[in-house]
Every structure is written in C-alpha cells, then in structure tokens.
Amino acid sequence: MQGLIGQGLIGQGLIGRKLIGGALAACLVVVAGAAVAQEVGKVGVDWLGNDIIVEAIKDPKVEGVTCHVSYFDRGVIDRLQKGNWFEDPSDSSIACRQTGPITIGDIDMSEAGEEVFKQGISLIWKKQVVNRIYDKTNETLIYLSHSRQVQDGSAKMSVTTVPLYGQNVVWTNGKPK
C-alpha cells in the first residue's frame, strides 16, 4: 500500500504523483479488487533525492505468484531543476515468480489479457500498468509492465513469465481446453 499512497512528493510537502493518482488507485483497488503494491525496497541513486522503488505485487486472481516491479521516483530537487514536476519516467522492470502453490481463478483468456495492477506516475494522465496474459499453447503466464498515457504512448516495457508446464496448478474453473 505504501507504493500507492506514500512516497513521491507527499512526504516532502508538495503534491506528488501518488497523492492524487494514489488516492484514485486506492479507491479503484477497493472497488475493483485489483492488486495492491507493497514497497519492499528503496535505493537512493544520487544526492538529488532520486530513488529506485521496488514493490511486491501479488496477483489477486492467481494465488502463489508474486511480481516485483521497480521504477524510478524523482526527488524534489530533480523536479525543481528539470521541470515536469508532476511526472516520473516511464521506465520500469518486472520479475514474477512462483512463491507458493498456484491456484488460478477466473482470469481473462483474451489476447490482451487483463490489468492486474496500476498506479499513477504523473499527476493525472500517465499510469504504470501490469497486465497478465495467459499463453495457453505454452502453458505460461506472461506479465507485462508498461506505461499508459492519453497520448504519446511509450514503448518502454518489461516482460516476465511464470511457466505452468509440469506444475501442480489448480484451476478453480477447470483448466482451459
């Protein structure tokens, strides 16, 4: 939950990306049952207060899978020096692994998959998103981390997979044919 409503510029006295985006995301989490991020690491990268944040995200429809997402969180000094005060870079990295017995609930089987997690990385328009896609042919869950913008979408993304082949996977609605 820290990653949704903490950090950013809030603790430094300014309205940051996570105050408004985080409040909206927190509301969406309650309404939609989306995944919640828990900050598990924070590495300072320079004297300007810029950090790399690492968050753990448990897939709400796939028990036994945890994703770790990292992203850049700009500090106040960097924001004041470079402008663009209310936005962080689109760069992110993701790694998902089996962290327990896998039980798969009612997941979207479409080519686009479904959104597992999102949080604001700008005041209003830009979101960091994690989508899950099921690759039926290869019995693999694919997790894609990317940013979504109203315009000027970014090609920056990261992908990871969790293989299901040979695993003792429980499908609550039966394994897809």
Side-chain angles (χ1 to χ4, degrees):
M1 195 65 164
Q2 179 70 18
L4 289 174
I5 58 178
Q7 299 306 309
L9 296 175
I10 301 166
Q12 299 163 1
L14 299 174
I15 296 176
R17 68 179 164 98
K18 295 185 181 180
L19 176 61
I20 293 174
L24 293 174
C27 291
L28 291 174
V29 166
V30 172
V31 173
V36 176
Q38 175 187 10
E39 185 175 310
V40 295
K42 181 177 180 178
V43 178
V45 295
D46 59 24
W47 64 273
L48 298 175
N50 294 318
D51 297 316
I52 295 173
I53 307 295
V54 180
E55 295 178 331
I57 302 166
K58 294 197 178 280
D59 188 327
K61 292 185 179 179
V62 180
E63 290 180 38
V65 171
T66 303
C67 297
H68 289 89
V69 177
S70 64
Y71 60 90
F72 193 78
D73 188 28
R74 293 174 55 219
V76 174
I77 296 170
D78 188 53
R79 291 174 191 276
L80 294 173
Q81 280 184 340
K82 297 179 181 166
N84 201 7
W85 295 8
F86 303 111
E87 186 169 285
D88 280 328
S90 297
D91 300 306
S92 68
S93 179
I94 188 169
C96 299
R97 299 291 182 267
Q98 179 177 355
T99 54
I102 296 179
T103 301
I104 300 176
D106 186 22
I107 64 171
D108 186 331
M109 297 290 183
S110 71
E111 186 176 275
E114 69 185 295
E115 195 172 273
V116 173
F117 170 79
K118 83 174 159 191
Q119 71 179 351
I121 56 175
S122 76
L123 187 58
I124 299 174
W125 305 113
K126 192 169 160 184
K127 305 282 184 224
Q128 174 190 3
V129 180
V130 174
N131 285 76
R132 176 195 345 91
I133 301 167
Y134 176 60
D135 176 355
K136 183 175 150 187
T137 303
N138 296 298
E139 294 187 60
T140 302
L141 294 172
I142 302 167
Y143 291 86
L144 172 68
S145 178
H146 62 97
S147 68
R148 180 183 309 135
Q149 299 180 63
V150 174
Q151 65 181 38
D152 298 326
S154 173
K156 297 175 182 177
M157 71 200 89
S158 182
V159 68
T160 186
T161 61
V162 176
L164 303 176
Y165 180 80
Q167 299 294 323
N168 186 18
V169 177
V170 175
W171 292 82
T172 58
N173 296 332
K175 185 176 179 179
K177 304 277 185 234

